[in-house]
Amino acid sequence: MRSEMNFWYHHGGVSVADLDASIAWYRDVLGFELDKRFHVPTIPADIAMMRNGDLYFELFEVPGSKALPHDRRVPDDDLQTQGNKHVAFVVQDAAAFAAEIESRGADIVWVKKMPHGSNAFIRDNSGNLIEFVEEPVPSGLPGSL
């Protein structure tokens, strides 16, 4: 008999070129606020934990880090490299959401309506991919029925 394993989402994280610029981008474009900022000397890295409601997102700036390669900035090309791909969030209307965040400075990769569902991909200010999937808002969250 298998034992029950309970766990919940805590956060996603990305490495960025400029922590201050990324804190501003995640605040101004996606509505995150800085929850805490700290340094981890063993990496070494400056880290910012961003928060939007119950959702956390971690930003890392590591001195001398390599820029994200071009093929990691394109969703279909990125799948050719093994490893983590992107983080995805639920929105009620992918096209409307993409239009709103584009007006705030988001780099829109695409907005697609496909037989299996609609989505939008964007890049943050360091080129990291973020997906927004069109789904009903999960129950218990603002805007849900």
Side-chain angles (χ1 to χ4, degrees), residues 108-127:
I108 306 297
V109 177
W110 75 49
V111 178
K112 290 187 178 181
K113 284 195 173 288
M114 298 171 275
H116 60 276
S118 297
N119 72 345
F121 265 98
I122 70 168
R123 292 181 197 94
D124 74 3
N125 63 316
S126 291

Side-chain angles (χ1 to χ4, degrees), residues 10-38:
H10 187 266
H11 71 273
V14 294
S15 181
V16 298
D18 180 325
L19 190 60
D20 290 326
S22 293
I23 289 169
W25 188 92
Y26 277 84
R27 180 193 64 228
D28 297 343
V29 177
L30 297 181
F32 282 85
E33 294 296 331
L34 179 62
D35 186 64
K36 59 185 166 184
R37 188 172 177 160
F38 52 98

Side-chain angles (χ1 to χ4, degrees), residues 11 19-20 27 42-43 53 67 75 84 87-88 90 100 115 121 134 136 140 142:
H11 71 273
L19 190 60
D20 290 326
R27 180 193 64 228
T42 56
I43 296 175
N84 291 327
V87 63
V90 173
E100 171 61 28
F121 265 98
E134 188 173 299

Side-chain angles (χ1 to χ4, degrees), residues 17-145:
D18 180 325
L19 190 60
D20 290 326
S22 293
I23 289 169
W25 188 92
Y26 277 84
R27 180 193 64 228
D28 297 343
V29 177
L30 297 181
F32 282 85
E33 294 296 331
L34 179 62
D35 186 64
K36 59 185 166 184
R37 188 172 177 160
F38 52 98
H39 180 76
V40 178
T42 56
I43 296 175
D46 288 317
I47 300 170
M49 185 64 77
M50 305 297 289
R51 183 177 184 176
N52 186 333
D54 291 334
L55 180 64
Y56 290 89
F57 205 69
E58 193 170 23
L59 308 174
F60 298 87
E61 180 184 349
V62 178
S65 64
K66 299 175 193 162
L68 193 67
H70 176 74
D71 60 340
R72 295 292 318 269
R73 297 170 186 249
V74 179
D76 292 348
D77 294 347
D78 186 35
L79 295 175
Q80 302 303 314
T81 302
Q82 295 176 6
N84 291 327
K85 301 291 102 194
H86 59 269
V87 63
F89 303 109
V90 173
V91 295
Q92 287 184 308
D93 184 327
F97 185 82
E100 171 61 28
I101 62 173
E102 185 173 35
S103 75
R104 298 178 185 190
D107 176 15
I108 306 297
V109 177
W110 75 49
V111 178
K112 290 187 178 181
K113 284 195 173 288
M114 298 171 275
H116 60 276
S118 297
N119 72 345
F121 265 98
I122 70 168
R123 292 181 197 94
D124 74 3
N125 63 316
S126 291
N128 295 299
L129 293 171
I130 303 171
E131 182 181 17
F132 296 92
V133 179
E134 188 173 299
E135 295 277 340
V137 175
S139 63
L141 295 179
S144 63
L145 300 175

